[in-house]
Amino acid sequence: MTEPTPPASNGARALPAPAISFEFFPPKTEEMEKSLWETIKRLAPLAPNFVSVTYGAGGSTRERTHATIARILSETALVPAAHLTCVDARCADVDDVVSRYYEVGVRHIVALRGDPAGGIGAAYTPHPEGYRSSADLVASIKRRHGDIEVTVSAYPEKHPESASFDADIDMLKAKVDAGATRAITQFFFDNDLYFRYLERVRSRGINIPIVPGILPVQNFKQAANFAKRAGASVPGWLAQKFEGLDDDPETRKLVAAAVAAGQVQKLAKHGVETFHFYTMNRADLVFAISHLLGIRPKGTKNGAQEAA
Ligand code: FAD
């Protein structure tokens, strides 16, 4: 497959080595919490721009997301970004969550609509007293706290609910007009999809950074499952690379590192300067891929040594 001629830049600031950010999910158990903090300790010295923590469907992890963000703020020098969805919630409750974040010092929110309770594919109906769309949520956050940076989602293969790419990009445009200054993409495995999407977005006059979301495939079956739910395609060549490795985690890990490293190195070669990693709360693959991008630990200043 040949790469198309991509746009000169993804709109992010120029840096000698790419800038990175990491996404975590809030742990459910003590054991998961311990493992997340080992991951944070390992990745923090790579000095990411920010680390984000997801928000469970319909606010199901509201307290755990808050607790994880608060601990990152109090125990590390990392900059946290809190994900927040507005589905199935009253505006007043969503605003409370934002205010609580603001009070503890959070200045970056990843603002999302979220999936309807019936899952992707079910019709989305805004809560009668809720925000009507993610763009409304962005506008409200900016109106109430102008100094909160707002990041939003973007979909290189369009969101499964979008009637067309144009409709999908209309929503991105509305979110940018409401004050979003960065978008992170749904994961994708074929770089052409990202470059084509970027062309579409730029041709609509949207100039914010569209940061590629990279999912290192820790477990092919699980990733294929995620992809199905998220409306992301899984190329045949990817399935082939993991064929026969279901019971061979060691080889799977090596293959996963090679695949993700190949993807990010090609993106970087074509001018992509920032990457967001879906870490799945695990450090090893993401650390190795960052290393291959030329990113080295920055000592202890930003790092986990400060995290107990
Ligand atoms: P939007 O950007 O508001 O909409 C996506 C597209 O769907 C639009 O372009 C539009 O064309 C179409 N659309 C939206 N509303 C309608 C409508 N009413 N009718 C028809 N079409 C419509 N989910 C979580 O629960 N927690 C998280 O922490 C989380 N983090 C995420 C982070 C990233 C980077 C990404 C890419 C996704 C994340 N999601 C998360 C998933 C997200 O909540 C779902 O994809 C959800 O279905 C859409 O929310 P959104 O804000 O991306 O949608």
Side-chain angles (χ1 to χ4, degrees):
M1 180 185 69
T2 51
E3 296 273 9
T5 307
S9 155
N10 74 337
R13 68 201 163 98
L15 286 175
I20 48 176
S21 52
F22 302 129
E23 182 169 310
F24 305 119
F25 60 86
K28 263 194 196 142
T29 62
E30 248 174 61
E31 198 183 327
M32 286 166 82
E33 166 121 8
K34 194 166 160 266
S35 149
L36 169 63
W37 279 83
E38 278 162 14
T39 295
I40 292 177
K41 282 182 187 186
R42 176 94 169 114
L43 295 179
L46 298 179
N49 271 359
F50 62 89
V51 295
S52 75
V53 181
T54 60
Y55 195 72
S60 55
T61 67
R62 186 160 80 173
E63 293 311 316
R64 279 188 278 133
T65 300
H66 192 279
T68 306
I69 290 275
R71 186 168 171 196
I72 288 171
L73 268 173
S74 69
E75 296 184 20
T76 78
L78 295 167
V79 175
H83 291 220
L84 177 63
T85 67
C86 58
V87 63
D88 288 336
R90 293 164 58 235
C91 295
D93 294 334
V94 175
D95 294 352
D96 275 354
V97 176
V98 176
S99 300
R100 277 179 70 202
Y101 277 130
Y102 196 84
E103 277 160 25
V104 294
V106 174
R107 294 294 181 272
H108 186 171
I109 287 186
V110 180
L112 302 141
R113 189 201 70 180
D115 287 329
I120 277 203
Y124 175 76
T125 317
H127 187 287
E129 293 168 49
Y131 290 109
R132 304 205 64 73
S133 70
S134 52
D136 281 359
L137 172 63
V138 174
S140 163
I141 296 170
K142 292 305 288 184
R143 201 168 44 243
R144 296 175 62 242
H145 304 283
D147 55 338
I148 290 187
E149 181 182 356
V150 179
T151 292
V152 291
S153 60
Y155 294 89
E157 299 183 66
K158 77 180 185 56
H159 186 274
E161 281 173 47
S162 297
S164 64
F165 271 104
D166 277 347
D168 193 83
I169 294 172
D170 284 346
M171 179 61 85
L172 180 62
K173 176 96 172 54
K175 295 188 286 190
V176 173
D177 291 346
T181 50
R182 174 193 298 97
I184 296 173
T185 74
Q186 183 60 277
F187 65 85
F188 56 91
F189 296 113
D190 177 351
N191 288 345
D192 285 359
L193 294 167
Y194 170 77
F195 289 126
R196 265 187 242 128
Y197 177 73
L198 201 55
E199 259 172 40
R200 286 189 165 109
V201 166
R202 296 295 181 240
S203 74
R204 290 285 302 274
I206 299 170
N207 293 314
I208 60 165
I210 308 291
V211 179
I214 304 295
L215 177 72
V217 177
Q218 326 253 5
N219 174 327
F220 181 74
K221 275 191 181 157
Q222 189 189 48
N225 227 342
F226 285 161
K228 201 168 167 197
R229 277 190 279 141
S233 57
V234 178
W237 59 259
L238 187 66
Q240 226 169 26
K241 286 202 192 312
F242 286 94
E243 218 170 65
L245 296 181
D246 286 355
D247 300 321
D248 185 351
E250 283 304 307
T251 310
R252 227 168 44 212
K253 200 184 275 185
L254 293 172
V255 172
V259 167
Q263 181 180 15
V264 294
Q265 283 175 314
K266 276 184 208 139
L267 288 167
K269 194 171 132 204
H270 289 305
V272 174
E273 295 160 343
T274 56
F275 295 92
H276 182 77
F277 289 103
Y278 295 108
T279 68
M280 306 304 293
N281 289 6
R282 290 162 73 169
D284 48 4
L285 278 179
V286 171
F287 193 92
I289 298 158
S290 302
H291 183 92
L292 288 169
L293 280 170
I295 296 158
R296 299 290 179 267
K298 299 275 190 307
T300 62
K301 194 158 174 260
N302 276 323
Q305 284 83 345
E306 293 170 26

